[in-house]
Amino acid sequence: ISLLSQLKDAEHSRLLIFSDMLENSKGKFSMYSQCNLPKQELITYYRTSVGTALARPSFANLHVELHLIPRENTRQQIVECRNFFWSWFFGDMTGDSKLITFELPGS
């Protein structure tokens, strides 16, 4: 999505995401199994798991709203890992609209 001209060329854009954001790709990267790693190792593991794909997008003038949907019985360690990971993932943003909003309904 970061490569779409509608976002790359826009003066201001907004991306709304509604999800639990608990990445769980079978055979690749899973927050359920990798969140026991130290933070830097987690990022290294993720970068390795996506191979040559763009590991971290670069957005300009984009306001991202992450509306996190809580999942019952999620360990606190996983929640903290999720918050760290997605803050890092969206952390390469520039311009006026680089704010990330975490909204945790029901938590």
Side-chain angles (χ1 to χ4, degrees):
I1 194 169
S2 66
L3 302 177
L4 294 174
S5 62
Q6 292 89 336
L7 289 181
K8 289 178 76 170
D9 301 334
E11 289 184 31
H12 298 285
S13 295
R14 172 169 268 158
L15 178 62
L16 302 173
I17 301 171
F18 294 84
S19 173
D20 64 8
M21 300 300 283
L22 294 171
E23 180 69 28
N24 191 18
S25 299
K26 188 175 183 176
K28 289 201 173 215
F29 179 76
S30 171
M31 289 186 175
Y32 294 102
S33 56
Q34 274 80 46
C35 274
N36 59 343
L37 298 171
K39 290 179 180 177
Q40 194 53 48
E41 287 182 37
L42 173 75
I43 300 304
T44 301
Y45 187 93
Y46 172 75
R47 286 182 182 273
T48 302
S49 74
V50 296
T52 59
L54 180 64
R56 183 172 141 173
S58 180
F59 293 108
N61 301 319
L62 177 70
H63 178 92
V64 176
E65 287 185 26
L66 294 177
H67 296 270
L68 298 174
I69 300 169
R71 185 179 285 242
E72 287 187 23
N73 303 319
T74 303
R75 294 188 334 255
Q76 184 62 31
Q77 177 190 12
I78 301 295
V79 170
E80 291 172 9
C81 176
R82 174 202 63 195
N83 293 348
F84 164 77
F85 177 81
W86 291 111
S87 292
W88 167 80
F89 185 85
F90 287 109
D92 191 17
M93 296 171 46
T94 60
D96 295 335
S97 303
K98 57 184 178 177
L99 178 66
I100 299 174
T101 303
F102 288 96
E103 296 187 16
L104 301 163
S107 59

